[in-house]
Each structure stands twice: as C-alpha cells, then as structure tokens.
Amino acid sequence: VYLFGFAAFYITACIVIPGRSQKGLVAIQAYRFIFFRFRPEYWYWGSVFLFRNLLLTLAGVLNPANPYTGVMYLGLVAAGFLIAQCVCWPWRTNLLNTLDTVILASMVAIVFSTVPFIEVNDTEALEATQDTLLGLMVAVFVIAVMTVVGSILGNLACKVREVRDPEGHLQRKEATMKALSKAWGDLMNCYRLDASRQLQFLTNLGSFDQASVLKLAGVVDLELSRSEKGSKRSSRRVALNPQVQPAEAVGVQKQSATGQAQVRPLDANDGHEDVAEF
C-alpha cells in the first residue's frame, strides 16, 4: 500500500499539476514538495527519480545465484540514468545537478570495476553470463553504428527534401522564425511589467535558469549592442555584416517625442540568415 499507493499519488500529482496551477496558487502550494527541487520544464522529474530508485533496488533480487547478472544490471541502469541526467540537467541548482551526476558516474565506475573480483563456481552459469555479455556488447555496438548512420541519412534526407521542395522548406523556416519572433517580442514586452514583479520573477528562478538568463544577456549584448564585454564568443552577426548598427539589429526605433524608445519585435522576414545562426 505504501509503496504503490505513494507512487500512484506522486505520478497523478505530476500529471494534474500543470492544469491545476492555472486555476490558482493552492495546487502549487499543496504539491510544492514534488516539483520545487526541479527546473520548471522538468517538474515531473521526481517520478523519474522514484523509478530510478526502484530499478536500482531490484538489482539484489535479480537472479541472486549469478552475481554477474545483478552487477551488469546495476551498471546499465546507472549508466542509462547518468545519460538522462547529463542530457536534461533537471535539478533546480547546478550543485544538485553536479552531485547527482557525480553519484551516478561513481556508481557506474565502482560497479564495473568490481566485475574482475566476482567469483562464480558454476561453470555453466559463468559461460551463460559470458555469452550474455558478448551479446550485450554486440547490441550496443550495433545500436551505436545505427545511430550514426541514421543521423547521417536523416540529414541527407532533409537536404534532399529541401532541394525537391524549396517552397515547403521556406514555409517551415518562416514558421520557425515567426515562433521565434513572437517569443522575442514577448521577451521585449517584459519591460512593461513592474520592477518589483520582474525582481520577484528573477529571484524565484533557480541558479541554473539565472545563469541561463545571464548568458542570454551576454549574447544579446554582444550580438545586438556590439559590446566587447557581453560574451566571450566572437560575434557572428558583426562578422557577416560589420556595418550593422545596434538599433537596426534589435529593432529599436529612435526615441519618440516622449523620450521613450519604441521597441518592435523582430519580424519573421528580418535577417533570416543572421538569426538562424544564433
């Protein structure tokens, strides 16, 4: 009851939180313990964390007569969740993400380093385990090769589709740029918010998202304001067109009679090639 009941409650809460959060703060306050440790886009990672712990605990009961099976199972599970952790980086702070990554990497290293010290008296079981490991190695190699070949073929297919259907490719590109321009326009409209509201929003961000905001500000400062201190990377936009002025880049018009700058969102047709390089 406690195991499956709590798991069912936890998963159900992760499903209903997005909808209930739109109706008020009551649901957010009630279920805060579920998602407050993770970044907003990975509010459900607590369920993944519970599932990971469940899989790790099953290593001890999985074919206890053959220790090789449990060790390999434990190592593969830890390695799989290590990859997911590095790809998603779901925790709210960089410290928690780093600690979880180090824990999983250490677990993988320790588990696989103990394989030579395992003693198996049953020769038939040892041979069966060796055959299983060999099959696993071949499967991993085949999957890796298929992934590389599939990526190459996918890119070639995209290029062929662009050549055969240039109008469709242009429409898809314009749709992408419209979505990007809308997002940029919404970001530019944030200056209308009260300063205290903006400060509250930035304060509630995790350290990872705060660092992302600083990185975005650095790129904008370099690419649009042409500042040399905003980012450590070189400006591709300025390299492509050194004559571009900052006001032309950001879409900021000259000040009006009231003394306030008029900000317009980037249009979908503004600088496709330059914006696509960001």
Side-chain angles (χ1 to χ4, degrees):
V1 176
Y2 292 102
L3 176 61
F4 296 103
F6 179 76
F9 163 77
Y10 203 102
I11 295 174
T12 303
C14 290
I15 295 175
V16 302
I17 279 176
R20 293 187 178 181
S21 63
Q22 303 297 325
K23 301 179 181 180
L25 298 178
V26 177
I28 297 179
Q29 295 174 352
Y31 298 113
R32 184 176 181 273
F33 72 98
I34 293 178
F35 61 86
F36 80 99
R37 296 173 296 173
F38 307 103
R39 293 165 53 198
E41 58 267 38
Y42 294 107
W43 81 93
Y44 56 84
W45 200 259
S47 300
V48 179
F49 191 75
L50 291 178
F51 183 64
R52 183 184 83 181
N53 293 340
L54 176 62
L55 293 181
L56 292 177
T57 56
L58 294 178
V61 298
L62 185 65
N63 194 6
N66 189 352
Y68 273 111
T69 304
V71 169
M72 298 306 300
Y73 168 82
L74 185 62
L76 291 176
V77 170
F81 281 99
L82 175 62
I83 295 174
Q85 163 65 26
C86 294
V87 171
C88 298
W89 213 247
W91 296 89
R92 189 176 179 87
T93 63
N94 282 327
L95 178 60
L96 291 176
N97 283 300
T98 303
L99 290 177
D100 199 16
T101 302
V102 171
I103 291 173
L104 290 173
S106 302
M107 184 181 300
V108 173
I110 293 173
V111 167
F112 285 112
S113 63
T114 59
V115 173
F117 302 98
I118 298 177
E119 296 182 0
V120 178
N121 298 324
D122 191 349
T123 306
E124 295 182 357
L126 179 59
E127 292 178 354
T129 302
Q130 291 175 348
D131 294 338
T132 302
L133 293 178
L134 180 60
L136 180 62
M137 294 171 58
V138 173
V140 171
F141 176 77
V142 171
I143 292 174
V145 172
M146 292 179 61
T147 302
V148 174
V149 174
S151 300
I152 297 175
L153 293 178
N155 289 331
L156 291 176
C158 292
K159 293 297 183 181
V160 172
R161 186 172 58 180
E162 292 177 7
V163 174
R164 292 184 175 181
D165 187 16
E167 295 182 358
H169 171 65
L170 182 60
Q171 292 177 357
R172 290 188 296 269
K173 188 175 181 180
E174 289 180 350
T176 301
M177 293 310 304
K178 286 181 180 180
L180 181 61
S181 299
K182 182 180 182 302
W184 180 259
D186 295 339
L187 184 62
M188 291 293 99
N189 289 331
C190 288
Y191 77 95
R192 300 178 181 178
L193 298 177
D194 184 75
S196 60
R197 179 69 180 88
Q198 297 182 32
L199 180 60
Q200 180 184 7
F201 166 73
L202 295 174
T203 303
N204 291 333
L205 291 178
S207 60
F208 182 88
D209 293 321
Q210 290 177 352
S212 300
V213 171
L214 292 176
K215 291 179 181 179
L216 175 61
V219 173
V220 171
D221 190 23
L222 175 68
E223 296 287 353
L224 303 184
S225 302
R226 298 181 64 179
S227 171
E228 297 181 356
K229 64 179 181 178
S231 175
K232 294 182 180 180
R233 77 173 196 175
S234 60
S235 173
R236 181 170 179 81
R237 184 181 181 90
V238 177
L240 292 174
N241 189 4
Q243 303 300 325
V244 174
Q245 298 298 323
E248 296 175 356
V250 297
V252 179
Q253 300 176 357
K254 294 182 180 180
Q255 291 185 350
S256 61
T258 60
Q260 294 182 350
Q262 303 295 323
V263 181
R264 65 174 180 83
L266 291 176
D267 186 72
N269 297 321
D270 290 347
H272 279 197
E273 295 79 11
D274 295 343
V275 177
E277 297 291 342
F278 286 177

